Amino acid sequence: MTIPTASTPPAASAASMTYRCPADGSRAPVESLAWHCPTCGGPWDLDFIPSSPVPLNSLTGRENSLWRYEEALPLAGPAAGVTLGEGRTPLIPLTDSISAKLDFLMPTLSFKDRGAVMLAELARRLGPGRVARVVADSSGNAGTAVAAYCARTRLPCTVYVPEATSPKKTEQIRAHGAHVTLVPGDREATAVAARAAADQPGTFYASHVHNPYFLHGTKTYVYELWEDLGGRLPDTVVVPVGNGTLLLGAWLAIGELHAQGLITGRPALIAVQAKAVSPLAAAFRAGAHDLPGDTPSHTPPPTLAEGIAIPRPPRAAQILRAVRESGGTFLTVTEDQLRTAQLDLAARGLFVEPTGVACWAAMMAQPPQEGRTSVVPLCGAGAKTGLAAQ
């Protein structure tokens, strides 16, 4: 498998772009609603490269949303559609060398809005004649984001979530008009249920894991860092990793900016997992290039960081390669470290959910890196889950 990169062949327009399987090269038109490779069942990449470099000096007067980086987006154009004003979140210092990007200040209170707006806009452009309903699966935040943007585009939406999902998150999903289906079992059981529904005719599967348009939304996180820092990036970009959508989006953006000569070096990617559920960290330390294919399915142990408790992420090989090629590494955090980090941030005026504090928890445990700068994302608002139990 290969990671999505800025070197994939360009497409003439959004309408003619194709999905491409990074494992075996299979292709499908975007209009087909095929949500996975028919040969291997894996997730798609997208044949797309930016039309031209994003003009740093011309961004000031642009719309304050993800669409300000239209040159870098596969759905950009003069009539770019749905938006809730997502993006442009504050970047504030936590220490002399570590800054935090407050992505919990998104319209639905999590960074997942970056990808959800792309999926909803894609479904809208495919048209009601092709898309009758939208289906998503989530541990909470992605489903909430998809529900909100489907409400904005008036698309019927069903979100599958594990039955143990925070009631505050399911209430938010329902408030946006989506139907919530509670699935017995873990996150993987939820994905299986959603995928069965996704195979029904006229269904657009708004998968933040399988659909690469989501990654082209999350990559705006790094474009914003680049803009905020005046045309440069920090030495390390620290990201939480479950399914890896923020990390792979970040790696896409780093590759694009570097290929266009807009940055001179590539920052290291520091991937953070909860110690309780850390299959990628274990594979990385073992020198593996993918997760073992014969690992039996099992229910992962509970963790406060429910949003990254993914035992078998479909893009595992891409994530491992991206971290290695960046010169980065994996870090894991304990439940006690998550609790401590949440309280520490709250004492600084920032109330963030336990999954969203994972990166800060990891950096608090590291020795100071003299002369090196890092950015951590605070990905979800504490109002979604409340304070972690002591």
Side-chain angles (χ1 to χ4, degrees):
M1 293 179 72
T2 57
I3 63 168
T5 68
S7 61
T8 52
S13 68
S16 64
M17 288 181 199
T18 61
Y19 294 131
R20 175 179 53 82
C21 175
D24 60 32
S26 297
R27 292 179 182 271
V30 171
E31 297 85 350
S32 70
L33 302 184
W35 61 266
H36 64 85
C37 172
T39 305
C40 71
W44 294 116
D45 285 350
L46 185 68
D47 279 344
F48 169 78
I49 59 172
S51 59
S52 60
V54 173
L56 180 64
N57 295 332
S58 301
L59 291 175
T60 302
R62 291 192 177 185
E63 178 178 9
N64 253 352
S65 79
L66 170 150
W67 298 107
R68 71 194 282 110
Y69 308 111
E70 61 179 355
E71 292 86 355
L73 298 176
L75 291 176
V82 62
T83 184
L84 289 169
E86 61 289 325
R88 304 298 295 131
T89 55
L91 182 67
I92 66 168
L94 293 178
T95 71
D96 290 341
S97 60
I98 303 174
S99 297
K101 189 151 178 63
L102 310 189
D103 258 27
F104 68 91
L105 297 179
M106 288 280 193
T108 75
L109 308 181
S110 90
F111 87 94
K112 296 292 178 62
D113 290 2
R114 294 185 184 276
V117 64
M118 296 296 289
L119 296 183
E121 178 63 12
L122 174 60
R124 185 187 74 83
R125 293 194 187 190
L126 292 177
R130 187 174 297 274
V131 176
R133 70 195 64 84
V134 174
V135 165
D137 60 282
S138 169
S139 59
N141 285 340
T144 300
V146 170
Y149 284 91
C150 282
R152 193 71 170 176
T153 53
R154 302 187 182 279
L155 285 167
C157 178
T158 298
V159 180
Y160 291 75
V161 299
E163 60 183 356
T165 298
S166 164
K168 294 181 180 180
K169 292 182 178 180
T170 56
E171 181 180 7
Q172 188 180 5
I173 294 170
R174 290 189 178 99
H176 291 308
H179 175 74
V180 174
T181 298
L182 298 176
V183 180
D186 61 10
R187 181 66 181 82
E188 182 57 29
T190 302
V192 170
R195 290 166 193 168
D199 288 330
Q200 298 301 310
T203 301
F204 178 85
Y205 183 26
S207 172
H208 58 291
V209 181
H210 284 78
N211 194 306
Y213 280 87
F214 196 93
L215 304 182
H216 284 275
T218 60
K219 76 181 181 185
T220 60
Y221 173 84
V222 163
Y223 275 94
E224 287 182 22
L225 290 180
W226 172 75
E227 181 182 358
D228 291 338
L229 296 173
R232 60 183 179 86
L233 291 176
D235 297 307
T236 60
V237 174
V238 190
V239 286
V241 173
N243 279 309
T245 56
L246 184 55
L247 183 142
L248 290 175
W251 191 232
L252 264 174
I254 290 166
E256 291 169 0
L257 289 166
H258 189 265
Q260 295 163 348
L262 297 176
I263 55 173
T264 56
R266 300 184 187 220
L269 292 173
I270 308 299
V272 179
Q273 295 204 288
K275 187 174 183 179
V277 187
S278 52
L280 293 165
F284 183 86
R285 291 165 185 163
H289 296 283
D290 202 348
L291 298 181
D294 57 354
T295 302
S297 178
H298 67 281
T299 301
T303 174
L304 294 168
E306 61 181 9
I308 54 174
I310 309 296
R312 293 199 61 82
R315 294 186 184 270
Q318 294 179 305
I319 296 165
L320 291 166
R321 181 179 173 185
V323 173
R324 285 198 175 95
E325 289 190 352
S326 76
T329 192
F330 276 81
L331 301 174
T332 59
V333 292
T334 67
E335 303 304 291
D336 284 343
Q337 287 175 316
L338 289 167
R339 292 187 186 95
T340 298
Q342 188 185 36
L343 291 173
D344 179 85
L345 287 170
R348 298 167 184 259
L350 303 168
F351 189 33
V352 184
E353 67 175 349
T355 298
V357 307
C359 292
W360 178 233
M363 297 307 287
M364 288 176 68
Q366 302 304 304
Q369 299 290 314
E370 295 295 333
R372 292 184 63 80
T373 57
S374 302
V375 173
V376 300
L378 304 183
C379 295
K384 284 174 169 280
T385 57
L387 197 64
Q390 297 299 305

